[in-house]
């Protein structure tokens, strides 16, 4: 069949449904379809307002900052999950974190842009976790300016700065603590402690070399 417009196609389908589909005798039940539907109609519920969600699936290990990464954004998990695996479901609007053993929903977050964080208030630690304290001590031992910059980032951003601190320590391992300490000093002089990141420190390293 060919139709000149959607309206013409709909009119044909309405006529077909009323005069053939609804009046036919169902092969299994041996009853007229329209009669059966009239009996079932009162029990039907309205369609949900929100469309059906089509998720992607994966597993992630909870990072030292208490988050998992999904497409370059970071989502908080309840306390006690650092270093453990969680199941992840995500679509264009939501990210769901589940217990892989029980399927229990741990957290559901709205999707964030790349680099963004989504952490519920009750999941933010009241005190600096031991793992973060140890990380800051590593930064102090790597260099006085490295430690100062990393502690400044942590004061400004809390646990979300952990990945940046690890990035700075990675630079120190790759390029030498002395060069990175000088770079951190330059970053601090430029008052960049509040926005310092891997990229900022790397830029300072290139300027100091």
């Amino acid at each position: 069949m060919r139709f000149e417009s959607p309206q013409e196609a709909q009119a044909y389908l309405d006529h077909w449904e009323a005069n053939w589909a609804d009046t036919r005798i169902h092969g299994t039940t041996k009853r007229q379809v329209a009669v059966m539907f009239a009996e079932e109609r009162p029990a039907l519920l309205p369609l949900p307002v929100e469309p059906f969600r089509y998720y992607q699936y994966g597993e992630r290990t909870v990072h030292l900052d208490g988050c998992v990464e999904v497409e370059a954004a970071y989502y908080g998990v309840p306390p006690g999950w650092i270093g453990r695996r969680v199941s992840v479901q995500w679509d264009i609007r939501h990210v769901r974190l589940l217990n892989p053993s029980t399927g229990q929903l741990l957290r559901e977050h709205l999707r964030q842009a790349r680099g963004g964080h989504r952490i519920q208030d009750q999941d933010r630690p009241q005190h600096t976790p031991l793992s973060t304290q140890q990380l800051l001590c590593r930064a102090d031992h790597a260099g006085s300016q490295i430690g100062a910059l990393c502690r400044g980032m942590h004061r400004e951003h809390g646990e979300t700065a952990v990945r940046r601190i690890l990035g700075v320590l990675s630079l120190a391992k790759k390029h030498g603590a002395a060069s990175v300490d000088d770079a951190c000093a330059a970053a601090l002089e430029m008052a960049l402690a509040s926005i310092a990141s891997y990229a900022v420190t790397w830029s300072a390293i290139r300027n100091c070399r």
Side-chain angles (χ1 to χ4, degrees):
M1 301 292 295
R2 294 179 63 87
F3 303 98
E4 297 299 324
S5 69
Q7 293 77 13
E8 184 181 343
Q10 187 62 54
Y12 175 86
L13 290 173
D14 291 342
H15 181 269
W16 173 82
E17 182 178 358
N19 293 277
W20 188 87
D22 283 353
T23 60
R24 71 185 178 90
I25 303 301
H26 193 278
T28 301
T29 64
K30 309 303 180 185
R31 298 181 63 200
Q32 190 180 58
V33 172
V35 173
M36 294 175 59
F37 182 66
E39 294 174 357
E40 295 172 353
R41 184 191 294 273
L44 296 178
L45 299 175
L47 292 173
V49 175
E50 183 179 336
F52 186 80
R53 298 183 185 182
Y54 293 92
Y55 287 113
Q56 298 184 65
Y57 297 87
E59 284 196 350
R60 299 289 190 276
T61 299
V62 182
H63 193 262
L64 285 175
D65 60 3
C67 295
V68 297
E69 179 272 332
V70 178
E71 296 189 357
Y74 307 98
Y75 302 91
V77 179
W81 283 86
I82 290 177
R84 299 167 61 185
R85 301 279 286 179
V86 296
S87 298
V88 183
Q89 301 174 349
W90 71 95
D91 62 6
I92 61 172
R93 296 185 60 189
H94 300 92
V95 173
R96 305 177 81 232
L97 311 176
L98 301 98
N99 185 321
S101 300
T102 66
Q104 175 191 5
L105 179 64
L106 300 174
R107 291 290 182 266
E108 183 170 22
H109 299 285
L110 293 175
R111 281 288 298 272
Q112 300 296 295
R114 294 177 64 89
H117 287 78
R118 188 80 174 186
I119 305 171
Q120 295 188 10
D121 288 340
Q122 66 266 34
D123 296 335
R124 298 182 186 276
Q126 297 296 317
H127 307 284
T128 303
L130 177 60
S131 58
T132 304
Q133 294 180 29
Q134 293 171 337
L135 187 63
L136 292 170
C137 286
R138 283 177 54 195
D140 291 336
H141 291 147
S144 61
Q145 301 305 305
I146 293 173
L149 184 66
C150 290
R151 288 186 180 275
M153 289 192 290
H154 185 260
R155 282 194 301 272
E156 181 74 17
H157 301 285
E159 293 308 295
T160 61
V162 165
R163 294 174 191 262
R164 302 179 191 181
I165 294 169
L166 287 170
V168 172
L169 292 175
S170 177
L171 286 174
K173 182 177 180 180
K174 182 177 181 179
H175 299 283
S179 295
V180 175
D181 206 50
D182 290 342
C184 290
L188 288 167
E189 287 178 5
M190 292 185 288
L192 292 174
S194 63
I195 60 170
S197 65
Y198 183 100
V200 170
T201 309
W202 170 237
S203 176
I205 286 174
R206 288 187 297 176
N207 292 332
C208 290
R209 292 178 68 179

